[in-house]
Amino acid sequence: NPETNEVESLNLVTAERERGIELFQRGHLQNYSLSVSGGSEGVRYYIGGDFDKEQGIEPTNRMRRMSGTANIAIYPHSKVDVQARMGYVGGRTYLSCEAGCGGVTWGAYFSTPEHLNENLPDDAPPRRGYRSWTREVYYEGTDFQDLGRFTGSIQLDYRPVDWFTNRFVFGTDEVREDNQSFTERSPVVQEFSPGSTGGKSISRRDVSYNTVDYSGTFSFAPLESITTQTSFGAQMYRRFTKFASASGDDFALPGLRAINAAATTTGGETYVENSTIGGYLQQQIGWRDRVFITAALRADDNSAFGENFDLVYYPKLHGTWVVSEEPFFGIDQVSTLRLRAAYGQSGTQPDAFAALRTFSAVAGPGGASTVTPSSPGNPNLGPERSSEIEFGFDAGLFDERIGLEVTGYRGSVTDMILVRDAPPSAGFPGSQFTNLGGFDKWGYELMVRGNVFETNSAALDLTLSFSMNDSEVRDLGEGTESLIESFGIEHRVGSPVGSWFHHRIVSATYHEDIAVMRQSMMCDNGAGGSVACFGNPEDGNQITAPRVFIGRSLPKYEGSISPSLTFLERFRLTGMIDFKLDQYKWDHNERVRCSLFNICHQNVEPQQYDPVQIAAYRHGDRFGAEYIQDAGFAKLREISLAYTVPPSFANRLGASRANIMLAARNLNTWTSWEGMEPEAMFLGGGRGGFGSLEQNNIPQLTQFVTTFNISF
């Protein structure tokens, strides 16, 4: 407060509660399931349905969904099986306006006493301390998604002879998605934003995904100890996506909801079609049911490949040896031991129009429609290829009381699909997709399952998992050492894929004059020393220090611990803790508070803090290392207690069995992350480096769930 020279504070949750208003409400989750199955020797069926209804911590965040599944299997002949599967899910999800559009968390997290009503001009509406609009203003808007999805397939298995089988599969996946965002011309909104006259936008996405799959297998046993299976097949996949959108702004009167009632309207439509056709040949050889070797070759062609690119081929080789069944194996403590190794290749196709030369429609002379070059395309564009070799073993120890799975892998990605500036000789502006560069990847996975102890009244089982995944960019094309996405996410040769690189201040001397302070700033030079952060003032104080490695954006280590305690015959207590380590995120909450809005205590009394931190805050995100922090964490995901009802009591209800389960989820997080949620992803994780950025996201909420399961 400039008048009293005292620091004022505001807890918006407490302030609203004193007014009789809860900033957030208590959510409510509901799920109901019902299924029935049965049949006869010639026909089997299953029909099931689910109903979900969820209410989040905000009135605008809720969901209602229904789904159903129907499966039927018919056996008209000893050589013929027919299976049909159908599923449908549909419902509406209302979305809160949070990360990316402000919302209540924005108004609360960045609130200050300055925004209390008594500190605002007389003609300002009562903001009650919210940074932007109050909670009721945000709740005037409506954002929802209607989704309907139908999946269906028919599978025919035909065995004309014992040594030859055929399988035909026809499948379809139909998605209809409607998204609507509506803001009424509301007096409540206009009080805060007089120029807001409402608006509405609608977008529709229809996706049709159809598949045809055939496979045949010849099975022979040329010798008593040798079995062979020769398989071949072909698939066709077609995906057709259609987009349509319309929007309108400026409603003349309250109560209007149709886009045609808006003063300004726009619309658009587009579609994308992608098809793949492929085939494969596979040979498997087994020896004495102990050693199995499989070799296969697959060929694919995709409509997104460049016209000069032919078929792509993916080989595969896999081997398994059950060593514990060999006569020479005599380790009593090892019940089973299976060794395995594999090599394979796969690919990622380009975007639908990446290889095509495209033009954009523009207005020509006299308003006539014409076209202008848009993208040069690339007739040689092919898929991004990935190859990997894997090795490991599975073991059962001490009469299967302990199970152990160990897997290691090493692979590489080549022909990465990257974007570069179009060559001037092409005569097209903009950028061009091309295959260049690659990176290596490696890691391992461990899993241990074991029975810790077992008595007549109790038993404790424990499952531990741990994995390490690492990578290194090997090549980004001739003359290119790095590619920057956003906010400091960078692919740099010699470093892990998608790492954080930024200017990092290592020393500074505080001074009220930022220009004077700038002269004292020293930055990390990336080689264990330091260098001046800025160049000469005559050069406009350009940053001359290099961007240095800060950390990985993807976790290097992951794992979980899952105990399960069974006691008193009918009780089972389970839990799970999982963790992700060695990963860094950008705390955009800190940047907004301290660099954009200047509402940190560091902005009020900077002399009390590290000059390095103050120097970074004063320069926004130009020295982003200050905002990139360790986001490693461990979470207590769930604790549950299940009780199996005695059969005698279940029979009184006409049921064959019943159980009750109490569960608590997201109970605690252990982390050094100073933001709200180490797993938060701004805008859902898309748009370049935004997947490793947090900004006013609602953290994962603690849930308490009771489940009743009854079978008749």
Side-chain angles (χ1 to χ4, degrees):
N1 189 323
E3 297 181 358
T4 63
N5 199 31
E6 294 180 353
V7 176
E8 297 180 349
S9 62
L10 170 67
N11 185 324
L12 195 59
V13 174
T14 303
E16 289 288 81
R17 185 169 294 159
E18 291 174 351
R19 295 185 178 94
I21 301 172
E22 289 294 335
L23 198 63
F24 297 106
Q25 64 186 23
R26 191 180 300 277
H28 186 211
L29 312 177
Q30 300 177 70
N31 171 263
Y32 305 93
S33 301
L34 179 65
S35 64
V36 60
S37 61
S40 61
E41 183 177 348
V43 179
R44 300 292 300 175
Y45 67 87
Y46 170 86
I47 301 174
D50 288 86
F51 173 75
D52 294 277
K53 186 177 182 181
E54 298 184 7
Q55 174 64 64
I57 62 172
E58 296 182 296
T60 53
N61 183 212
R62 61 189 190 275
M63 180 270 287
R64 185 181 66 254
R65 180 176 59 211
M66 297 184 67
S67 61
T69 303
N71 301 334
I72 184 170
I74 304 175
Y75 311 99
H77 192 274
S78 61
K79 298 182 178 181
V80 178
D81 301 339
V82 181
Q83 299 182 60
R85 301 178 178 88
M86 294 178 292
Y88 178 80
V89 57
R92 173 172 291 188
T93 302
Y94 289 87
L95 305 172
S96 299
C97 181
E98 294 301 342
C101 62
V104 175
T105 57
W106 174 276
Y109 195 77
F110 303 117
S111 63
T112 70
E114 185 181 20
H115 297 92
L116 288 168
N117 187 42
E118 57 267 26
N119 295 333
L120 294 175
D122 294 337
D123 58 346
R127 204 180 298 182
R128 306 199 306 269
Y130 286 86
R131 179 78 201 185
S132 48
W133 294 350
T134 59
R135 63 190 297 277
E136 55 268 22
V137 177
Y138 277 112
Y139 297 157
E140 283 288 303
T142 302
D143 293 88
F144 66 83
Q145 178 187 90
D146 285 335
L147 178 68
R149 182 181 184 185
F150 172 82
T151 56
S153 67
I154 297 178
Q155 177 176 320
L156 172 65
D157 292 280
Y158 176 46
R159 301 171 295 277
V161 290
D162 293 340
W163 46 267
F164 181 46
T165 61
N166 298 267
R167 187 191 68 183
F168 303 86
V169 180
F170 305 90
T172 185
D173 188 342
E174 301 285 336
V175 176
R176 301 293 180 264
E177 177 186 296
D178 287 297
N179 301 280
Q180 293 195 25
S181 178
F182 171 71
T183 302
E184 187 178 358
R185 185 184 179 114
S186 165
V188 177
V189 176
Q190 286 186 314
E191 184 180 13
F192 282 85
S193 180
S196 177
T197 54
K200 184 177 183 179
S201 63
I202 299 175
S203 64
R204 181 182 178 95
R205 185 175 72 106
D206 297 342
V207 181
S208 297
Y209 188 46
N210 300 309
T211 63
V212 179
D213 186 348
Y214 167 76
S215 64
T217 301
F218 296 95
S219 301
F220 296 102
L223 298 175
E224 184 177 353
S225 60
I226 296 178
T227 59
T228 67
Q229 284 190 341
T230 303
S231 303
F232 62 95
Q235 295 88 28
M236 189 279 291
Y237 308 98
R238 177 182 179 272
R239 184 183 180 94
F240 183 83
T241 306
K242 183 170 64 175
F243 303 90
S245 62
S247 63
D249 292 308
D250 191 2
F251 290 121
L253 298 170
L256 298 178
R257 301 183 65 89
I259 289 179
N260 284 346
T264 304
T265 61
T266 58
E269 181 183 24
T270 186
Y271 68 89
V272 177
E273 183 176 6
N274 184 271
S275 299
T276 299
I277 186 169
Y280 71 92
L281 179 64
Q282 176 175 292
Q283 180 65 55
Q284 183 185 81
I285 299 176
W287 180 68
R288 294 185 177 179
D289 288 332
R290 302 171 190 166
V291 178
F292 301 92
I293 298 176
T294 303
L297 180 66
R298 181 178 181 85
D300 280 336
D301 193 11
N302 185 270
S303 59
F305 294 167
E307 59 181 349
N308 295 339
F309 190 89
D310 295 325
L311 293 172
V312 59
Y313 297 92
Y314 301 120
K316 180 182 78 171
L317 182 64
H318 179 269
T320 301
W321 181 19
V322 185
V323 184
S324 56
E325 295 187 4
E326 295 291 349
F328 62 78
F329 190 83
I331 304 176
D332 296 336
Q333 294 85 354
V334 181
S335 313
T336 59
L337 177 62
R338 181 168 67 99
L339 306 181
R340 45 185 167 78
Y343 170 80
Q345 292 186 4
S346 60
T348 301
Q349 66 198 36
D351 290 338
F353 301 117
L356 298 179
R357 175 169 292 184
T358 59
F359 298 83
S360 299
V362 296
S369 178
T370 185
V371 295
T372 186
S374 176
S375 172
N378 184 353
N380 300 313
L381 188 65
E384 187 172 288
R385 297 175 65 95
S386 175
S387 62
E388 184 173 298
I389 184 170
E390 178 182 300
F391 49 88
F393 66 88
D394 305 326
L397 311 177
F398 305 106
D399 294 325
E400 303 300 317
R401 287 179 61 90
I402 298 177
L404 179 62
E405 298 179 15
V406 179
T407 303
Y409 74 91
R410 188 171 187 89
S412 62
V413 174
T414 59
D415 298 329
M416 294 171 60
I417 301 175
L418 300 176
V419 180
R420 66 177 183 182
D421 293 337
S425 59
F428 275 66
S431 56
Q432 180 185 49
F433 287 92
T434 186
N435 295 111
L436 54 86
F439 64 90
D440 296 326
K441 56 183 180 178
W442 62 91
Y444 57 84
E445 299 175 359
L446 307 175
M447 179 175 288
V448 180
R449 294 187 297 268
N451 177 246
V452 179
F453 70 83
E454 184 173 359
T455 66
N456 293 332
S457 59
L460 176 62
D461 297 319
L462 186 65
T463 300
L464 307 175
S465 68
F466 182 82
S467 67
M468 186 280 289
N469 299 279
D470 206 351
S471 64
E472 181 179 325
V473 178
R474 185 180 64 252
D475 179 30
L476 292 172
E478 185 177 356
T480 303
E481 290 296 317
S482 69
L483 291 174
I484 300 175
E485 288 193 8
S486 60
F487 283 91
I489 293 289
E490 184 174 332
H491 308 295
R492 181 179 292 191
V493 173
S495 298
V497 175
S499 294
W500 288 105
F501 284 85
H502 227 293
H503 309 291
R504 175 162 53 193
I505 307 171
V506 295
S507 66
T509 301
Y510 176 74
H511 197 281
E512 292 185 1
D513 188 337
I514 190 172
V516 176
M517 188 176 185
R518 190 175 291 160
Q519 296 175 11
S520 71
M521 292 168 52
M522 301 295 290
C523 284
D524 190 339
N525 68 356
S530 61
V531 65
C533 296
F534 289 94
N536 297 324
E538 293 79 8
D539 297 331
N541 285 315
Q542 296 297 316
I543 298 177
T544 55
R547 294 161 59 95
V548 298
F549 177 79
I550 307 298
R552 309 163 188 270
S553 63
L554 301 174
K556 183 176 181 179
Y557 304 105
E558 298 183 53
S560 66
I561 303 172
S562 302
S564 176
L565 176 64
T566 303
F567 60 98
L568 300 179
E569 294 186 358
R570 303 193 178 280
F571 290 91
R572 185 179 183 185
L573 179 65
T574 61
M576 186 177 74
I577 296 175
D578 66 351
F579 59 86
K580 294 182 180 181
L581 305 176
D582 197 357
Q583 66 168 347
Y584 285 75
K585 294 176 68 71
W586 180 294
D587 188 353
H588 211 57
N589 292 320
E590 182 182 2
R591 176 176 176 252
V592 171
R593 287 173 57 85
C594 303
S595 293
L596 299 185
F597 292 162
N598 297 323
I599 57 176
C600 291
H601 189 252
Q602 291 91 326
N603 305 123
V604 180
E605 297 180 309
Q607 308 93 318
Q608 298 183 11
Y609 295 88
D610 187 346
V612 169
Q613 186 182 52
I614 302 304
Y617 287 170
R618 285 185 166 190
H619 290 88
D621 63 350
R622 300 176 69 185
F623 296 93
E626 191 66 30
Y627 311 109
I628 303 169
Q629 303 172 9
D630 183 2
F633 68 88
K635 281 181 177 285
L636 179 54
R637 292 288 182 183
E638 181 171 323
I639 295 178
S640 65
L641 177 63
Y643 172 68
T644 301
V645 176
S648 58
F649 185 81
N651 294 337
R652 295 178 187 176
L653 302 176
S656 58
R657 60 182 181 273
N659 62 66
I660 303 171
M661 185 178 71
L662 306 176
R665 301 167 182 165
N666 301 320
L667 291 174
N668 193 49
T669 301
W670 297 275
T671 182
S672 60
W673 175 251
E674 296 180 358
M676 287 191 285
E677 174 57 67
E679 288 189 289
M681 295 188 296
F682 184 64
L683 295 177
R687 296 175 61 181
F690 283 2
S692 294
L693 182 154
E694 182 196 16
Q695 178 180 307
N696 65 289
N697 294 80
I698 294 178
Q700 295 192 49
L701 305 176
T702 301
Q703 299 177 351
F704 298 94
V705 181
T706 303
T707 302
F708 300 92
N709 194 325
I710 304 175
S711 299
F712 297 91

